[in-house]
Structures are given as C-alpha cells and as structure tokens.
C-alpha cells in the first residue's frame, strides 16, 4: 500500500472518531450548563478548552458556552473541532476514493453535504446527536463491509488511538471541573456505557467503579484499555513479529500506557486522574508519531485545506 493511502486511511479513522467523541463531550457539558443554574459556567468552559488543548482567554475575560461551541463545534478550519474533523475526514476519503468502498465514500460525502444545514438550522443537542449517528454509520460500514486487510487495519488503528486519547480527555474534564462538571453517570451515558456498567456491577455504583469502567474494562469498546488493545492488534497485523527480541516503537508506546493502567491500583489512578490521563494522551501522541515515522514518513508537513461550506 502506498504511504499516502495509508496516511489518509489512518486519518479518516482518527477524524471520524474525533468528531464523534468531541460531540459527546460537548453535548454532556452543554446540557449540564443549561440544566444547572448554579453551575460555574466560566470555570467549566475554561476547563474544557484546556483539556482540548485550545487557547484559554485571559482570567479577566468571561468564557461562556457560546464561545466554546464556536471553537470546538463549529470552527471549520480547525480539524480539532467537530465540523473541522468531519470536513477533514471527507477530504481524506476523497483522496483515496479508489481504495475505500462506495458505501463508505457515500456515507462520508453525504455527511459533508448535510453539514451546512445541520450547523445552521438545528440546536447544539440535535447537531451532536446527528454527528454521533453519522459516526456510528461510518463505524458500522468499516466493521461490516471492509476486508480485514491493511485498509481496515489503518482505519481502525487511527480510530483506536483517537478513542483512547479522547476518552482520557473526557475523564480529565470530570476531574478538573469537580462539582461544576458532569457526574460520572452523565459521562457513562455520553459514552453509551451506563447500561453496560450496571450489568457488569449489578447496579452497585460508585465513582471509583465508574471511572474504572471507562479506564480499563476489557470488554467495553470505549474504555481506554480496550482501545489500546485494539490498536495493538492492528499494529501486530501491519507488522508481524519477525525478530522476537525487538518491538516496534508504536507498539512499545501503546504497551507502556496499557500496562500502566492495567497493573496500577484503581484507587491510585482515580486519585491522580488528571496526571494519569496526561500520560495516556502523551503515549497516544507518541504512538501516532511512531506510526507516521514507520508507515508514511515525509519531510513535509501535511496540511489540510478545507472546502468552503
């Protein structure tokens, strides 16, 4: 497979997952601020911008939900916003139109076509729900109609690394915002994990168990550990082990983060949640850099130019 094709597939997986997870994160925060008149909106919005690595205004400037939505939901020229990620995913799909299936292309292209109407004629909750549904459709096509070859492995590798990173950010927002942030129950619901959590623990809920479920449940697809396991499976498929004494850099970074989560006491992880999640994010970033260096190295910086809506 050509390196440019592998790179586009990898980023399609990442961008679709980024749009989905950012929509989930924003939806739970916006609903919380709308429903709780006593919520400290400025603190919650600053925490959210900080967690998403976006510039935080000066302390004397009040930050509200409108500014957060403009930056993280509707900004077209940044691939870290919901709208920008959708546009970037479609642009990468256009570049590899001869590789991906017709169903996958039509799904991404239809999402791109409907995006202007959805951003202008619906409220935030309806827009985020629509993004989640379209992302689920892409994931369903990838999992049900793509051969388990290099195409699928690069798509799912990108999705898995992004999912681990974004779930870590979701957990960080809860830790930083404290009582002004969403409850653990709200976070579980935003990930579609609430019913699965209740079945696992027979309804015996606690903050530590809820955090642990999103951190390292091996059966739930959106947990950090499950996403890292899926990334390791994809890396193993792309690079079968020949020399049993060495490990590729990407697998090493993924394995180190995964081992730190699996073999640490859950209480220690929860007590230092922002610090531990920062380690997860750095590990995911290092793994992404290692994948880029191994499979699509280039001396030039790849930039994405969005198409006008």
């Amino acid at each position: 497979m050509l390196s440019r094709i592998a790179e586009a597939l990898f980023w399609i997986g990442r961008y679709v997952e980024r749009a989905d997870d950012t929509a989930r994160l924003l939806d739970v925060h916006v609903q919380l601020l709308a429903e709780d008149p006593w919520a400290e909106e400025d603190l919650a919005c600053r925490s959210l911008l900080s967690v998403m690595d976006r510039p935080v205004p000066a302390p004397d400037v009040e930050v509200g939900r409108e500014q957060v939505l403009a930056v993280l939901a509707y900004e077209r020229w940044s691939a870290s916003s919901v709208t920008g990620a959708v546009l970037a995913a479609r642009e990468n799909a256009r570049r590899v139109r001869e590789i991906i299936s017709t169903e996958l292309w039509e799904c991404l292209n239809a999402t791109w076509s409907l995006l202007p109407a959805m951003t202008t004629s619906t409220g935030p909750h309806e827009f985020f729900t629509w993004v989640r549904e379209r992302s689920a459709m892409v994931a369903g096509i990838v999992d049900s109609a793509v051969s388990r070859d290099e195409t699928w492995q690069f798509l799912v590798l990108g999705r898995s690394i992004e999912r681990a990173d974004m779930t870590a950010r979701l957990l960080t927002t809860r830790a930083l915002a404290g009582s002004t942030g969403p409850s653990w129950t709200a976070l579980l619901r935003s990930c579609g994990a609430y019913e699965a959590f209740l079945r696992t623990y027979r309804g015996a809920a606690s903050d530590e168990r809820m955090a642990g479920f999103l951190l390292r449940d091996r059966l739930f697809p959106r947990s950090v550990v499950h996403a890292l396991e899926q990334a390791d499976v994809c890396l193993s498929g792309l690079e079968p082990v020949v020399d049993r004494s060495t490990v590729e850099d990407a697998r090493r970074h993924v394995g180190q983060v995964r081992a730190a989560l699996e073999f640490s006491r859950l209480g220690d992880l929860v007590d230092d949640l922002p610090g531990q999640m920062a380690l997860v994010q750095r590990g995911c970033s290092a793994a992404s850099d290692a994948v880029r260096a191994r499979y699509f190295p280039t001396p030039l910086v790849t930039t994405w130019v969005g198409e006008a809506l």
Side-chain angles (χ1 to χ4, degrees):
M1 178 178 288
L2 296 176
S3 61
R4 68 170 182 84
I5 294 175
E7 183 175 20
L9 293 170
F10 177 78
W11 282 104
I12 289 171
R14 291 205 67 166
Y15 284 136
V16 172
E17 184 65 26
R18 183 176 301 174
D20 183 11
D21 292 339
T22 305
R24 292 173 181 273
L25 185 60
L26 289 174
D27 195 22
V28 68
H29 274 267
V30 170
Q31 288 200 56
L32 173 68
L33 294 175
E35 295 172 359
D36 186 1
W38 306 107
E40 297 182 29
E41 184 169 341
D42 182 73
L43 175 60
C45 292
R46 288 178 180 275
S47 299
L48 189 54
L49 289 172
S50 175
V51 166
M52 298 300 291
D53 295 328
R54 303 305 297 271
V56 180
D60 59 335
V61 178
E62 187 173 352
V63 184
R65 73 193 76 172
E66 292 80 10
Q67 182 176 347
V68 169
L69 288 173
V71 172
L72 296 179
Y74 302 125
E75 191 173 86
R76 295 179 296 175
W77 311 117
S78 172
S80 62
S81 73
V82 176
T83 299
V86 171
L87 294 172
R90 188 264 183 183
E91 177 63 17
N92 277 278
R94 187 183 62 81
R95 295 174 182 171
V96 292
R97 179 65 188 87
E98 72 278 12
I99 299 296
I100 62 176
S101 66
T102 300
E103 290 82 0
L104 182 55
W105 163 250
E106 289 180 347
C107 181
L108 290 169
N109 194 50
T111 304
W112 170 79
S113 299
L114 293 169
L115 191 60
M118 296 302 300
T119 55
T120 57
S121 62
T122 65
H125 178 66
E126 291 76 16
F127 173 61
F128 296 143
T129 300
W130 176 78
V131 170
R132 291 164 60 177
E133 290 173 351
R134 300 302 298 185
S135 300
M137 189 177 297
V138 172
I141 293 172
V142 169
D143 289 337
S144 64
V146 176
S147 296
R148 266 40 175 183
D149 55 9
E150 291 178 332
T151 300
W152 182 85
Q153 288 165 346
F154 277 113
L155 283 167
V156 177
L157 175 60
R159 181 177 73 187
S160 300
I161 291 177
E162 188 69 26
R163 180 172 292 178
D165 177 83
M166 291 300 294
T167 302
R169 292 176 190 270
L170 184 73
L171 292 166
T172 303
T173 61
R174 175 66 181 87
L176 293 180
S179 59
T180 65
S183 65
W184 286 112
T185 300
L187 291 185
L188 287 173
R189 290 188 183 279
S190 72
C191 293
Y194 185 64
E195 288 76 15
F197 170 81
L198 292 180
R199 288 196 301 272
T200 300
Y201 290 101
R202 303 294 190 271
S206 68
D207 289 352
E208 186 173 290
R209 285 181 172 179
M210 291 180 182
F213 189 81
L214 290 177
L215 274 173
R216 60 187 190 184
D217 187 90
R218 293 180 179 85
L219 300 181
F220 184 66
R222 288 194 171 275
S223 76
V224 177
V225 165
H226 188 282
L228 293 174
E229 285 180 347
Q230 184 66 73
D232 186 66
V233 169
C234 294
L235 288 168
S236 300
L238 290 169
E239 196 77 28
V241 177
V242 176
D243 183 354
R244 290 177 293 177
S245 64
T246 61
V247 178
E248 291 293 325
D249 286 342
R251 292 192 67 191
R252 179 180 297 108
H253 292 303
V254 169
Q256 287 173 344
V257 175
R258 180 177 151 196
L261 293 176
E262 287 189 305
F263 297 105
S264 297
R265 290 182 61 255
L266 181 57
D268 294 338
L269 293 176
V270 175
D271 290 341
D272 184 30
L273 201 53
Q276 294 298 324
M277 294 304 96
L279 294 177
V280 172
Q281 292 172 47
R282 287 198 291 269
C284 290
S285 178
S288 181
D289 291 341
V291 169
R292 182 185 301 112
R294 173 67 182 87
Y295 296 105
F296 26 87
T298 175
L300 301 176
V301 177
T302 302
T303 58
W304 169 73
V305 180
E307 297 179 349
L309 287 176

